[in-house]
Amino acid sequence: MPEFIDRQPEMAALNKLLGTQGGQFVMVYGRRRVGKTTLLRHWVEQSGRPTVYWIARREPAEAVRYSLARAFWQSLGRGQPPRFDSWEPLLEEMANLINERPFILIFDEFPYAVESDPSLPSHLQAAWDTLWQDKPIILILAGSHIGMMVDLLNYQAPLYGRFTAQMFINPLPFAALADFFPRYSAAERVATYAVLGGVPGYLQRFNSQQSLATNIRQHLFRASTFASLNQT
C-alpha cells in the first residue's frame, strides 16, 4: 500500500508557497490521524529546501526550548546547542543562523508547546515581526487540537493578522480507498468508508489482503484495539 495517497490539492497549495516572495506564516490543522504530519514530511522531502521539522511535546518550558534548539542545531550539522533561558535569544539566534537562505520551519503539535509555555505565541509574534517576516522563511504551525489552533486566529491573540495562509486538512475522499484497497469491490469500499471514514491513520490499520469482515473482527471487535483507535 502506498505511504502517501491523494492530497494533490494540499500539495499544490504548499508548493505555491515555495514561489512566493518574502516570509510565509502558515497554519496547518485538522483532527488526529488525518495525515498532517505525513503530508508535511512528504512535501518538505520534495521541496529541496533546508528544513527543520520539530515536534513539540508536553514538557516544561525549558525542555521545550531545548528540544527546538536541538532540532535546529542538528539540522544545520552544528552538534548540540546551548541552553537558552528565554525564547528571545533562541529565536534571534535561529534568525541569525538562517541568515538570508530560503528555509522551512515546521513546528508540529504546536499546542503542546503553548500548553507548556502560554507566552510562546507572544514571543513568536515578536520574532516574526522583527526578525523573520522579511526573510525567505516558510514558518508552519501545525496541530491537532483544533480549538487551540483556531484560538491563535482570534483578534485578541498575539498572532492575529500574522498568518499568510491557513490549511485545514480534511479526511480523504471516498475515491482514495481504491488506492488503499485495490482488491475490494465497490460495495466493500463503501462499507469500509462507512466504518472508518477517510482518516488515513485508521485506513492504514486495515490489511488490504484481508476481507472487510476479517479486518473488522481483528481491529474493531477487540477492546484493546478499539481503545487505541479512539485515542489516536
Side-chain angles (χ1 to χ4, degrees):
M1 180 174 59
E3 294 183 359
F4 186 79
I5 294 174
D6 201 81
R7 299 303 188 196
Q8 287 87 357
E10 291 87 349
M11 285 290 292
L14 290 169
N15 285 332
K16 189 176 180 179
L17 298 173
L18 299 172
T20 305
Q21 297 295 319
Q24 299 297 310
F25 198 171
V26 184
M27 176 188 292
V28 176
Y29 62 112
R31 59 166 294 177
R32 292 192 180 282
R33 311 302 295 168
V34 80
K36 299 181 298 299
T37 297
T38 300
L39 168 66
L40 291 172
R41 287 191 178 277
H42 185 78
W43 172 62
V44 298
E45 287 174 2
Q46 296 186 351
S47 72
R49 288 197 182 181
T51 301
V52 172
Y53 196 107
W54 173 60
I55 301 179
R57 295 176 174 81
R58 288 190 174 101
E59 300 175 312
E62 181 181 358
V64 173
R65 283 194 298 272
Y66 187 72
S67 172
L68 173 58
R70 182 173 56 195
F72 188 81
W73 259 247
Q74 290 180 351
S75 73
L76 298 180
R78 301 179 67 90
Q80 295 301 313
R83 291 190 176 272
F84 295 88
D85 295 331
S86 62
W87 287 104
E88 285 85 353
L90 169 57
L91 298 175
E92 182 176 353
E93 184 61 18
M94 289 172 63
N96 291 335
L97 292 174
I98 291 172
N99 199 3
E100 297 302 324
R101 289 179 296 171
F103 214 92
I104 298 173
L105 294 171
I106 298 178
F107 296 173
D108 203 353
E109 296 299 354
F110 185 71
Y112 289 163
V114 177
E115 286 180 5
S116 298
D117 188 347
S119 71
L120 174 56
S122 295
H123 297 298
L124 199 56
Q125 171 216 327
W128 181 257
D129 290 350
T130 62
L131 300 171
W132 292 1
Q133 68 174 341
D134 293 326
K135 293 180 179 292
I137 290 176
I138 300 174
L139 172 60
I140 297 179
L141 305 186
S144 302
H145 193 308
I146 296 176
M148 290 186 68
M149 295 297 289
V150 171
D151 284 345
L152 297 175
L153 303 172
N154 289 341
Y155 180 76
Q156 298 84 358
L159 294 176
Y160 174 79
R162 270 71 181 183
F163 292 103
T164 58
Q166 303 166 38
M167 184 180 295
F168 182 77
I169 307 301
N170 288 296
L172 292 170
F174 169 73
L177 266 69
D179 292 316
F180 281 94
F181 306 103
R183 295 187 176 187
Y184 278 19
S185 67
E188 288 174 317
R189 290 173 192 158
V190 169
T192 303
Y193 200 76
V195 173
L196 299 179
V199 181
Y202 297 167
L203 293 168
Q204 289 172 352
R205 294 181 181 233
F206 274 25
N207 186 339
S208 63
Q209 304 300 314
Q210 296 178 338
S211 69
L212 174 59
T214 299
N215 275 311
I216 289 175
R217 283 196 301 270
Q218 290 186 351
H219 297 285
L220 298 183
F221 285 174
R222 294 180 180 177
S224 60
T225 305
F226 186 75
S228 175
L229 283 171
N230 282 303
Q231 291 172 3
T232 53

